[in-house]
Amino acid sequence: RRYPTVEIRAETFNGSTHVPVPSDGAFLKALLFELRLVDDHIFVEHRDTCTRINHSSVYSVRTEGGDLWPVLAFQKSGLIYACLPLVEETLDPRPPLLTVSGLSQGLALLLGLVDYLSPSRKNEAEVSAKIGQLRNLLLQACPLGTPLNTNIRSLNSSFDDIQEVPTDENQPAWRSNTYKGKPQVNVCITEKVKCMQYDKRDVVDTWQVYGAVNCKCDIEGSAPNVTLSLNLPSNGPPLQDIVVHHCVTSVDPAMLLSSSAEPLDDSVYNGPYKFPFIPPSDSFNLCYYTSQVPVPPILGCYQLVEEGSQLKITVNLKLHESIKNSFEYCEARIPFFNRGPIAQLEYKVSYGQLDLSREKSLLVWIIGQKFPKSLEVSLTGTVSFGTAGKEHPTDYVCTGNTAYVKLYFRIPDFTLTGCYVDQHSLQIFAPGKPKITASRELISSDYYLWNSKAPAPVVYKTLLD
């Protein structure tokens, strides 16, 4: 398969060093020669000299127009898989292989082809049939020369489910087909909270909130206009670092200028955040944002002290009173690195249950779907270990008593910023009354409590500025 658009880009990037791609027959002949699959009994200096030893599957193929490089090629089960990746710079001197991003993309595509063809390698008729379908599959996997889906087996070899190119000149390029049916809009706000807590006076705890608004708009028409508003409660922290999808037609500049790098002041934009857009056919993220919330949802401290052959551990957690006390799941995982399997465990939990992993190197404290009325839970225990084996986790950072507890939780129908979708303000300029479904959730992401009795790796911003 040839891509004239890619060849034109190569000529533009490579300039005077550009080598044109020869005809398919000439390229195949030159590739077979380079791979020593023809004329292997003849010594050819540029190919066979011992000073040129190839340590990779990347070749320089000599053609009438010059040396074609980099040609990615390898043999597998009697077939040759080859492609010519685009190099987005001049070829003299040749750039390091690691800087050519097209090589990894090309290799992924070829390995996808191997995965698609290799199960049938013993059945010649089946291989021939699959090769006959490759043209249709490549149109989907790599339509304009850039691999979009390297899992070739997951693609449909027929064109029955592929929509025709839209003929309506008002239909934007990102709206690949038109919907027929009852209009409906689904919006989901997902906020993720990252946290590092140290429980130390000289180290500042840090937490960050990242939000994404995902939309799926099933609406008739070639270019329907939709306006969605995000609202905050009166005391909610403003949204910052807002990045919008390219389908958004206009936004208030003040919304985009709010940056977390600047200190907050009274003039900061705090909504409502309106997004007029023409939705793509598929699910998409309308916008991303960050926010500086005053407190993390769960405050905690972890203490681990080594006493002889035993470890004494204490974990205290407190749910902040402003947080909705209704979890889909909430658990704390306590790993023990660079040690053997847990041989003896004595513990006491004030709430929930404690499980030991199959490898006996991880304690899983399942808190469940609610904190108790006090909003506080605790775990104390002593742990001793057996002889370490290869299967037990190691870590170069967590050595000695430097260790952490990692929290995993999800709170449905809740956001830390209080951000929500106002369904009544959702405007859709299309026929019919759409069914609107709005949801939100808060999910933990890299939520760590470091052992306060040992030094912890610290990346934080001081408050002394």
Side-chain angles (χ1 to χ4, degrees):
R1 175 125 181 93
R2 301 175 73 106
Y3 298 94
T5 51
V6 180
E7 293 186 39
I8 292 171
R9 290 179 65 202
E11 194 171 348
T12 304
F13 280 120
N14 305 155
S16 60
T17 60
H18 176 68
V19 177
V21 182
S23 66
D24 292 355
F27 174 77
L28 176 60
K29 185 178 179 182
L31 178 62
L32 293 174
F33 183 82
E34 180 63 32
L35 295 176
R36 296 183 177 87
L37 296 176
V38 295
D39 296 334
D40 60 330
H41 60 284
I42 303 172
F43 177 80
V44 181
E45 186 170 354
H46 80 269
R47 182 190 70 177
D48 302 320
T49 175
C50 60
T51 59
R52 185 185 165 203
I53 300 174
N54 214 17
H55 295 287
S56 70
S57 297
V58 179
Y59 296 90
S60 176
V61 175
R62 181 157 295 186
T63 68
E64 286 187 7
D67 288 353
L68 208 56
W69 182 92
V71 175
L72 183 60
F74 57 85
Q75 296 180 68
K76 183 77 174 177
S77 303
L79 295 174
I80 300 171
Y81 297 83
C83 69
L84 178 59
L86 173 67
V87 180
E88 298 182 348
E89 56 185 299
T90 181
L91 297 173
D92 188 18
R94 288 180 181 172
L97 294 180
L98 287 175
T99 65
V100 182
S101 60
L103 278 171
S104 57
Q105 293 177 327
L107 180 60
L109 183 63
L110 293 182
L111 291 176
L113 291 173
V114 171
D115 184 54
Y116 169 70
L117 291 171
S118 59
S120 311
R121 64 184 184 275
K122 293 180 181 178
N123 187 327
E124 194 170 326
E126 198 174 324
V127 171
S128 298
K130 283 193 170 185
I131 290 175
Q133 295 170 349
L134 275 182
R135 179 174 177 80
N136 290 354
L137 293 172
L138 283 173
L139 280 172
Q140 301 170 62
C142 193
L144 293 173
T146 300
L148 301 181
N149 187 351
T150 57
N151 185 2
I152 308 298
R153 280 201 293 177
S154 69
L155 301 174
N156 194 330
S157 59
S158 75
F159 285 127
D160 296 340
D161 60 344
I162 298 177
Q163 301 289 330
E164 291 184 4
V165 176
T167 55
D168 190 334
E169 61 182 17
N170 295 319
Q171 185 164 334
W174 60 83
R175 193 167 172 80
S176 57
N177 54 50
T178 53
Y179 173 78
K180 297 291 183 183
K182 188 177 180 180
Q184 51 188 3
V185 176
N186 290 290
V187 185
C188 179
I189 302 174
T190 299
E191 286 187 357
K192 294 186 177 181
V193 56
K194 290 188 174 186
C195 193
M196 291 278 180
Q197 295 183 40
Y198 302 98
D199 190 33
K200 292 186 176 184
R201 287 188 177 183
D202 58 335
V203 183
V204 179
D205 294 344
T206 64
W207 56 91
Q208 299 167 302
V209 177
Y210 304 88
V213 181
N214 185 269
C215 297
K216 178 72 166 71
C217 301
D218 294 326
I219 305 169
E220 290 190 357
S222 57
N225 285 287
V226 180
T227 299
L228 182 145
S229 293
L230 298 180
N231 290 52
L232 294 173
S234 57
N235 60 343
L239 308 185
Q240 297 176 290
D241 304 323
I242 297 174
V243 179
V244 300
H245 191 274
H246 59 74
C247 72
V248 175
T249 52
S250 64
V251 287
D252 189 326
M255 186 195 306
L256 301 179
L257 291 174
S258 179
S259 169
S260 59
E262 301 292 333
L264 290 172
D265 57 42
D266 295 336
S267 64
V268 73
Y269 191 90
N270 59 2
Y273 303 86
K274 287 194 173 184
F275 300 91
F277 60 95
I278 299 173
S281 307
D282 300 318
S283 174
F284 70 102
N285 285 329
L286 177 66
C287 69
Y288 300 91
Y289 61 84
T290 67
S291 185
Q292 299 181 42
V293 295
V295 290
I298 298 176
L299 294 164
C301 67
Y302 175 39
Q303 295 184 349
L304 180 150
V305 180
E306 199 158 0
E307 293 186 356
S309 61
Q310 289 187 330
L311 293 182
K312 282 196 171 183
I313 61 170
T314 304
V315 184
N316 294 310
L317 302 176
K318 181 178 182 181
L319 181 69
H320 194 269
E321 57 267 17
S322 65
I323 306 303
K324 181 182 178 183
N325 189 9
S326 178
F327 293 78
E328 181 182 304
Y329 58 84
C330 181
E331 63 183 45
R333 298 186 184 181
I334 311 169
F336 296 96
F337 298 104
N338 311 308
R339 304 175 190 273
I342 294 174
Q344 190 172 358
L345 171 64
E346 295 179 8
Y347 69 91
K348 180 182 179 182
V349 289
S350 66
Y351 194 79
Q353 68 181 63
L354 190 69
D355 292 339
L356 179 61
S357 70
R358 183 182 298 177
E359 299 81 14
K360 297 186 176 181
S361 59
L362 174 73
L363 296 180
V364 181
W365 181 13
I366 301 171
I367 296 160
Q369 296 180 319
K370 272 186 178 294
F371 274 67
K373 283 188 177 180
S374 65
L375 302 182
E376 296 185 36
V377 294
S378 63
L379 160 68
T380 57
T382 57
V383 187
S384 57
F385 301 88
T387 306
K390 290 182 179 179
E391 70 277 10
H392 293 282
T394 58
D395 193 290
Y396 295 109
V397 175
C398 298
T399 56
N401 288 353
T402 298
Y404 61 76
V405 173
K406 190 173 182 181
L407 299 187
Y408 296 82
F409 58 82
R410 177 181 180 270
I411 307 177
D413 194 30
F414 180 80
T415 51
L416 203 52
T417 60
C419 183
Y420 65 95
V421 174
D422 185 354
Q423 295 190 34
H424 300 292
S425 68
L426 188 66
Q427 298 176 315
I428 300 174
F429 302 95
K433 187 178 181 181
K435 178 186 177 183
I436 300 169
T437 305
S439 60
R440 52 185 188 161
E441 60 183 357
L442 177 68
I443 301 174
S444 63
S445 172
D446 297 333
Y447 205 107
Y448 292 95
L449 310 176
W450 288 93
N451 177 22
S452 61
K453 297 294 185 181
V458 179
V459 178
Y460 68 97
K461 183 179 180 181
T462 65
L463 300 180
L464 304 177
D465 297 342

